Amino acid sequence: MAVNFADYKNIWVYAEQRNGKLMNVALELIGEGHKLSREISADTKVCAVLVGNEIDHLAAECFEYGADAVYMIQDPVLAQYTTDGYTKALFDAIEEYKPEIVMYGATHIGRDLAPRVAARCNTGLTADCTHLDIDMDGYIQFAEENTTLDTSKVKKDDPKAQGLKMTRPAFGGNLMATIICPNTRPQMSTVRPGVMSKREREVGATGEIINVKVNVTDADIRTKVVEVVKSAKELVSLTDAEIICSGGRGLGGPEGFELIKEFADKVGGVVGSSRACVDNGWIDHSHQVGQTGTTVKPKIYFACGISGAIQHLAGMQTSDIIVAINKDPDAPIFEVADYGIVGDLYKVVPQIIAEWDNAEALADAAK
Amino acid sequence: MAFKVLVCAKQVPDTNEIKINPETGTLIRDGVPSILNPDDANALEEALKLKDKYEDVTVHVVTMGPPQAETMIFECLAMGADEGIIVSDRAVGGSDTWATSNAISAAIKKFGDYDMIFAGRQAIDGDTAQVGPQIAEKLNLPQVTYVEEFDISEDRKEVTVKRQLEDGYELIKVATPCMLTCIKELNQPRYMNMKGIFNKNKDIKIWNAADIEVDLATVGLKASPTNVYKSFTPKPKGKGMMLAGDTEKELAQDLLIRLKKKHVI
């Protein structure tokens, strides 16, 4: 494959919008893309790519969160997400403008679109990344702090590894791998929502807008979206939650989530769950934290009756503070917990609820 | 009028059973059972439901892997599939999703006419969810991913599916043939049954790279655009503090004091 790498420049973020509203992960990726672009060179830009119809108003938000430029791909035929329409629109734009890197949020739509675009570009795609690096020193530092990798074996000048280093969990979070895409361009990855950080909003920031010509017609689109239904169920935003109260198999049954809900309501948190409870049908999958569920990093994660299977730990172990309550003193969850309580959650959690409002007085008294 | 349904499946290690050797930090794969990938079981079940409904439907499972994948094919046949095809060749070993989809789409072209393709959304060893859409791209088929409900028109020319979103679903209509990737909400996979286990007329084909007439420059480790640069295990987070107390109330108070002092509440 004779690809002239010099032709490819800048980092693109597929800035996913639904119903004219940006997804949070789009802003997170602009933040991450900003960081990576400066690692490549001073004149490398992070660009938001907006696909849809009548979405001009979203450009400002992209600039305010760090985008240097915004590519606008607008047409009535793109008003609604379709695999065929968006793949063609994005592929055409990539062919024309040749970005060096394209990142997508690993949402249900991002994971539908990205593989299709990557295959059409005949390039590589790395799914569900949780860490990205360009700079080799930064990669080594990340690896030393977070992994068991023997960094003395990392060759800094390895010509294959000078591009994007995409790190992701595999085997249910048991293993991690750093993937590279050394011979083709663009380099592409989907990134888990909730993992990267937004930049501080800079109100009034602006930049260049590039209007991309659209060559998609109705004939290109082979699926018909009959309707889009928002579920009546309560929207669970685990990724934005500052406190998560999670229940596991130790709850003993679906009714255990009543206590967890009461706990979450008291502390201003959101209800999470282990996979076991979802598989048992005790709670909806939208609450599931873990490798196959949602990755979270709240300020406090309360794990109640969760043993701590690797696949669960993979989705929550970067939480700031982890509190584990479990009857079994040997439960693996205690290996990652900042504070562990061995005990019956049905006795401990009600006491935390009862004492919650007294925390300040208790802390004062303990001085 | 025969109606041929293809199911893309993968044999995977049961990742729930994988443990880490704490001394070496490597995966312990010995004794870890190989299973039919869970989402693929849902894909197969949906195909078998079509076969239950229409007499002329035949179900054909396509997989890529080492010859041992035959055990998974036996399971699929015992559930009720008519045929299993294993693409097996050293030349396709180490393929990433791009190269894998080249090999499987070549096998599907070799298979010939088909009316539907079901695949699992993703495999539990890699969790990429990329191979289904990439096969669809190479076969120039429309796709719907994350299918949680499926219905087909009387003339079987059009399907109506619910596609799961994070906060709801889309109702989508698409003409056959198409690629649908399935999730566990779609159905409950059946067990193997005696009739399937003892059916002598079932067919297992093993195809190599020459059989599927795939361009060798598009498959295998060397052709794959992505490479594994390094692999490792996450560093375990340091063990924290176990709280002690005589009563649950004391424990709760101790915890809240510590959280307050850390300014997290």
Side-chain angles (χ1 to χ4, degrees), chain A residues 112 120 144 176 178 226 275, chain B residues 16 137 145 171 232 235:
Chain A
D112 186 81
R120 202 165 294 182
E144 283 177 352
M176 295 177 80
T178 301
V226 182
R275 186 166 96 183
Chain B
N16 288 326
E137 172 68 18
T145 53
L171 194 67
F232 39 81
K235 195 181 270 187

Side-chain angles (χ1 to χ4, degrees), chain A residues 23-337:
Chain A
M23 300 289 281
N24 238 325
V25 67
L27 303 176
E28 294 164 11
L29 289 183
I30 292 170
E32 179 68 13
H34 189 277
K35 187 197 95 180
L36 293 170
S37 65
R38 274 60 181 174
E39 289 179 25
I40 295 172
S41 71
D43 66 341
T44 299
K45 292 176 187 161
V46 57
C47 311
V49 182
L50 283 162
V51 186
N53 189 42
E54 296 178 351
I55 48 167
D56 292 291
H57 62 285
L58 296 177
E61 201 176 342
C62 294
F63 290 130
E64 292 184 347
Y65 280 97
D68 297 306
V70 169
Y71 286 83
M72 273 291 177
I73 307 180
Q74 291 196 91
D75 193 279
V77 75
L78 301 172
Q80 201 155 32
Y81 174 77
T82 58
T83 311
D84 288 330
Y86 277 47
T87 299
K88 184 164 197 310
L90 194 53
F91 171 76
D92 288 347
I94 289 169
E95 285 277 286
E96 184 172 355
Y97 296 98
K98 295 187 169 29
E100 184 175 354
I101 292 171
V102 183
M103 304 195 288
Y104 314 73
T107 62
H108 289 203
I109 284 177
R111 298 177 98 220
D112 186 81
L113 173 67
R116 197 96 198 197
V117 175
R120 202 165 294 182
C121 294
N122 285 311
T123 192
L125 172 66
T126 306
D128 279 15
C129 297
T130 53
H131 190 85
L132 298 169
D133 291 280
I134 295 284
D135 178 53
M136 206 42 132
D137 290 325
Y139 176 69
I140 290 170
Q141 192 190 344
F142 155 75
E144 283 177 352
E145 285 172 8
N146 299 288
T147 77
T148 55
L149 179 66
D150 178 1
T151 52
S152 67
K153 295 203 174 101
V154 175
K155 281 193 278 198
K156 279 196 197 182
D157 53 358
D158 183 348
K160 279 169 66 109
Q162 298 308 306
L164 186 61
K165 288 162 280 295
M166 302 168 269
T167 302
R168 68 182 303 266
F171 286 99
N174 292 279
L175 192 68
M176 295 177 80
T178 301
I179 310 291
I180 53 175
C181 180
N183 302 319
T184 56
R185 289 292 180 267
Q187 306 161 89
M188 293 194 185
S189 69
T190 63
V191 177
R192 290 211 123 192
V195 174
M196 302 302 178
S197 302
K198 280 185 236 181
R199 288 172 64 78
E200 194 85 11
R201 185 171 194 160
E202 203 182 309
V203 176
T206 168
E208 184 189 4
I209 293 178
I210 300 105
N211 288 303
V212 179
K213 190 172 174 314
V214 178
N215 291 312
V216 182
T217 66
D218 281 325
D220 294 316
I221 298 170
R222 295 168 288 182
T223 55
K224 183 167 185 287
V225 181
V226 182
E227 61 176 329
V228 182
V229 178
K230 287 233 174 193
S231 55
K233 74 190 173 200
E234 192 185 347
L235 187 61
V236 186
S237 185
L238 286 166
T239 50
D240 296 332
E242 297 218 324
I243 300 181
I244 293 174
C245 303
S246 255
R249 210 193 297 264
L251 291 176
E255 58 285 348
F257 278 102
E258 288 165 24
L259 176 64
I260 301 299
K261 177 79 171 65
E262 187 190 340
F263 187 17
D265 287 346
K266 181 74 212 176
V267 306
V270 169
V271 174
S273 163
S274 71
R275 186 166 96 183
C277 301
V278 174
D279 286 351
N280 286 343
W282 296 354
I283 192 161
D284 188 78
H285 74 92
S286 56
H287 293 269
Q288 186 180 326
V289 171
Q291 167 67 7
T292 48
T294 306
T295 302
V296 299
K297 50 167 188 179
K299 282 191 182 156
I300 313 179
Y301 189 88
F302 288 101
C304 310
I306 291 177
S307 63
I310 292 246
Q311 90 92 24
H312 187 77
L313 302 183
M316 46 65 79
Q317 61 190 351
T318 58
S319 303
D320 291 349
I321 299 274
I322 296 168
V323 179
I325 303 155
N326 204 298
K327 271 185 183 166
D328 175 8
D330 298 322
I333 191 77
F334 288 124
E335 298 297 321
V336 302

Side-chain angles (χ1 to χ4, degrees), chain A residues 1 18 81 83-84 87 107-109 111-112 115-116 118-120 122-128 136 139 142 144-149 153-155 158 160-161 165 167-182 184 222-231 235 275 278-279 285 288 291-292 299-300 302 310-311 317 319-323 334-342 347-348 351-352 355-356 359-360 362-363 366, chain B residues 13-16 18-20 24-27 29 96-98 101-102 121-122 124-146 148 158 160 163-175 179 181 183-185 217 222-244 247-265:
Chain A
M1 271 167 265
R18 296 187 193 174
Y81 174 77
T83 311
D84 288 330
T87 299
T107 62
H108 289 203
I109 284 177
R111 298 177 98 220
D112 186 81
R116 197 96 198 197
R120 202 165 294 182
N122 285 311
T123 192
L125 172 66
T126 306
D128 279 15
M136 206 42 132
Y139 176 69
F142 155 75
E144 283 177 352
E145 285 172 8
N146 299 288
T147 77
T148 55
L149 179 66
K153 295 203 174 101
V154 175
K155 281 193 278 198
D158 183 348
K160 279 169 66 109
K165 288 162 280 295
T167 302
R168 68 182 303 266
F171 286 99
N174 292 279
L175 192 68
M176 295 177 80
T178 301
I179 310 291
I180 53 175
C181 180
T184 56
R222 295 168 288 182
T223 55
K224 183 167 185 287
V225 181
V226 182
E227 61 176 329
V228 182
V229 178
K230 287 233 174 193
S231 55
L235 187 61
R275 186 166 96 183
V278 174
D279 286 351
H285 74 92
Q288 186 180 326
Q291 167 67 7
T292 48
K299 282 191 182 156
I300 313 179
F302 288 101
I310 292 246
Q311 90 92 24
Q317 61 190 351
S319 303
D320 291 349
I321 299 274
I322 296 168
V323 179
F334 288 124
E335 298 297 321
V336 302
D338 295 274
Y339 300 110
I341 295 177
V342 178
K347 292 184 177 152
V348 176
Q351 288 297 331
I352 299 175
E355 297 292 332
W356 186 263
E360 185 139 18
L362 288 166
Chain B
D14 187 345
T15 54
N16 288 326
I18 289 182
K19 304 227 159 35
I20 304 263
T24 60
T26 51
L27 292 182
R29 295 183 72 163
D96 73 353
T97 64
W98 179 83
S101 61
N102 286 332
R121 168 197 46 171
Q122 64 190 37
I124 55 173
D125 53 350
D127 284 324
T128 73
Q130 288 169 196
V131 174
Q134 296 195 324
I135 292 170
E137 172 68 18
K138 304 217 158 125
L139 296 173
N140 192 23
L141 289 178
Q143 76 189 38
V144 183
T145 53
Y146 290 86
E148 62 178 9
E158 184 182 71
T160 304
R163 169 181 202 277
Q164 187 190 71
L165 290 175
E166 287 84 347
D167 58 352
Y169 64 86
E170 291 173 328
L171 194 67
I172 295 176
K173 284 187 187 293
V174 57
M179 161 70 80
T181 79
I183 57 176
K184 69 171 187 285
E185 285 78 1
K222 279 199 172 149
S224 295
T226 60
N227 306 160
V228 176
Y229 174 55
K230 301 284 175 193
S231 69
F232 39 81
T233 53
K235 195 181 270 187
K237 187 175 163 173
K239 196 176 160 86
M241 178 186 292
M242 299 303 287
L243 303 185
T247 65
E248 281 81 17
K249 183 169 179 157
E250 275 180 41
L251 284 163
Q253 290 184 337
D254 185 23
L255 174 68
L256 292 173
I257 290 167
R258 290 175 191 281
L259 293 178
K260 197 79 201 171
K261 285 186 172 171
K262 281 217 157 197
H263 304 290
V264 289
I265 61 172

Side-chain angles (χ1 to χ4, degrees), chain B residues 56-115:
Chain B
D56 62 341
V57 167
T58 53
V59 175
H60 311 262
V61 179
V62 184
T63 191
M64 185 169 109
Q68 299 90 289
E70 203 172 53
T71 56
M72 180 201 77
I73 293 292
F74 281 136
E75 185 181 341
C76 297
L77 296 178
M79 285 167 72
D82 297 281
E83 182 187 33
I85 296 164
I86 306 171
V87 177
S88 196
D89 196 312
R90 281 186 187 280
V92 299
S95 290
D96 73 353
T97 64
W98 179 83
T100 299
S101 61
N102 286 332
I104 295 180
S105 56
I108 291 173
K109 283 176 190 162
K110 161 91 178 176
F111 175 86
D113 289 338
Y114 54 86
D115 299 281

